[in-house]
Amino acid sequence: MGALALPLLVVLTPRVLLIANPASRRGARLEDAAVNALRVAGATCDVCRTERTGHAGEIATARGRDYDMVFTLGGDGTAMEVAGALAWTAIPIGVLAGGTGNLLGRALGIPRSVSKAVPALLGGTVRRIDLGVVLGHRFAVAAGVGIDAAMVQETPRWLKHRLGVLAYTIMATKAALRAVILRRFFDVRVEVGTEVIERRAAAVLFANFGAILEDRIVFGPGITVDDGLLDCCIFSPTHLGDALRIMWRVTRRDFRPDPSILYRKGSRFRLATHPVQMLQADGELLGPTPADVTVEPLAAHLLVPRR
């Protein structure tokens, strides 16, 4: 992953604030296990439960600085609310899997089992990573429009609770096939530096992490999480053969030049589309284009297991 690693300050009895989202896929039933694992590992733990969207960030802002560490138990939305609220504070954040995709925890190599993740994080290191910003919302993994936003928008809650991350895989495949077969493309204009890029596209992604799902899907070459840059990936299939080739390449790390894929690095982008597209960031729908996409270098301090 290449992120900047720092030694974790050893605290004999760390004070941990656990922010748990009981509405997440596994958050409610794993809360007791998380509290027990923290205490067995020698930490003191206070629990705050979220009650609505945005509440995790409010809790972290109000109480996070009173603790040595803040742990989250929920999905990516909960983790990113806390990471955004504690950006630039140097408070280490531990991400426990309680949601559907858990893309951030997977990208950081955190075990999905709470009983394994807690000691791994308490005995781990701190990694400083960049955060992206779009429509006033911070994100860690990626933001985008097109196929990925359609997947987020169309995946029903009952399917997420029943199938977990497989639900997103099914809906992403459905959205991709529909976009290509029905030719539901859009015109995109991306400004980066002095360059203006205009293309027909099925998806535009602004990636901070280079890979997701334990590196099964790799967005592009040389994407690192601590370089002060985001990577804009524009996917422009014109037919089903193009789409299948793109899918093959991102799962096989094949980044040879391809007329259907365009990559650009930058610290600031201006995105416009026709027609208007909905933006998602780390699995949360945010709002419509146009939008500026920027980066905050090394803004978040995340706990990760030792390698």
Side-chain angles (χ1 to χ4, degrees):
M1 182 169 53
L4 179 63
L6 303 173
L8 180 60
L9 178 64
V10 176
V11 181
L12 293 180
T13 308
R15 295 168 300 127
V16 175
L17 174 63
L18 175 64
I19 300 177
N21 179 1
S24 61
R25 181 172 180 249
R26 306 191 307 151
R29 63 185 176 87
L30 291 179
E31 181 184 311
D32 288 344
V35 171
N36 183 63
L38 285 163
R39 290 175 178 164
V40 167
T44 62
C45 175
D46 292 327
V47 179
C48 284
R49 300 179 186 90
T50 63
E51 300 173 356
R52 61 188 179 276
T53 300
H55 196 199
E58 295 171 13
I59 295 169
T61 298
R63 302 189 58 185
R65 292 168 179 80
D66 298 331
Y67 293 83
D68 298 310
M69 306 168 187
V70 175
F71 275 60
T72 68
L73 177 62
D76 290 307
T78 304
M80 280 313 307
E81 284 184 25
V82 173
L86 297 180
W88 308 109
T89 67
I91 302 295
I93 301 166
V95 178
L96 302 178
T100 301
N102 301 301
L103 295 180
L104 180 56
R106 290 170 183 262
L108 293 169
I110 300 172
R112 283 181 49 76
S113 165
V114 165
S115 62
K116 294 179 180 179
V118 167
L121 294 177
L122 289 176
T125 59
V126 176
R127 278 189 170 160
R128 295 182 64 186
I129 72 166
D130 304 333
L131 294 177
V133 183
V134 60
L135 296 178
H137 180 98
R138 290 186 172 103
F139 64 91
V141 180
V145 297
I147 292 170
D148 58 325
M151 172 198 70
V152 172
Q153 189 170 20
E154 296 172 9
T155 303
R157 183 178 295 274
W158 68 265
L159 192 63
K160 291 191 291 184
H161 278 268
R162 179 170 297 180
L163 299 181
V165 72
L166 179 59
Y168 283 140
T169 303
I170 292 170
M171 298 306 292
T173 303
K174 176 182 175 182
L177 291 174
R178 183 181 61 208
V180 174
I181 294 172
L182 300 181
R183 304 189 61 81
R184 291 187 177 176
F185 306 137
F186 54 91
D187 294 317
V188 60
R189 176 186 171 95
V190 175
E191 300 175 25
V192 51
T194 59
E195 184 180 11
V196 176
I197 302 165
E198 295 181 325
R199 298 183 72 145
R200 293 280 285 171
V204 181
L205 198 68
F206 298 91
N208 189 35
F209 278 87
I212 58 172
L213 303 179
E214 290 83 24
D215 293 346
R216 291 188 182 94
I217 297 177
V218 182
F219 296 133
I223 300 177
T224 57
V225 75
D226 62 347
D227 59 358
L229 300 171
L230 297 174
D231 288 71
C232 177
C233 314
I234 304 177
F235 301 104
S236 304
T238 57
H239 50 71
L240 185 58
D242 287 343
L244 294 174
R245 187 177 69 253
I246 291 171
M247 293 173 64
W248 174 261
R249 291 196 167 194
V250 299
T251 56
R252 297 293 178 174
R253 299 173 180 264
D254 182 353
F255 301 119
R256 289 172 294 172
D258 191 298
S260 296
I261 310 175
L262 180 69
Y263 298 111
R264 289 292 186 275
K265 291 182 180 288
S267 59
R268 177 178 293 273
F269 301 86
R270 178 65 176 172
L271 169 69
T273 65
H274 180 78
V276 167
Q277 299 289 309
M278 289 296 295
L279 270 154
Q280 71 83 25
D282 289 350
E284 301 292 322
L285 286 175
L286 301 182
T289 56
D292 293 317
V293 186
T294 60
V295 65
E296 295 180 339
L298 303 179
H301 291 65
L302 299 178
L303 294 169
V304 297
R306 293 184 185 274
R307 294 188 179 276

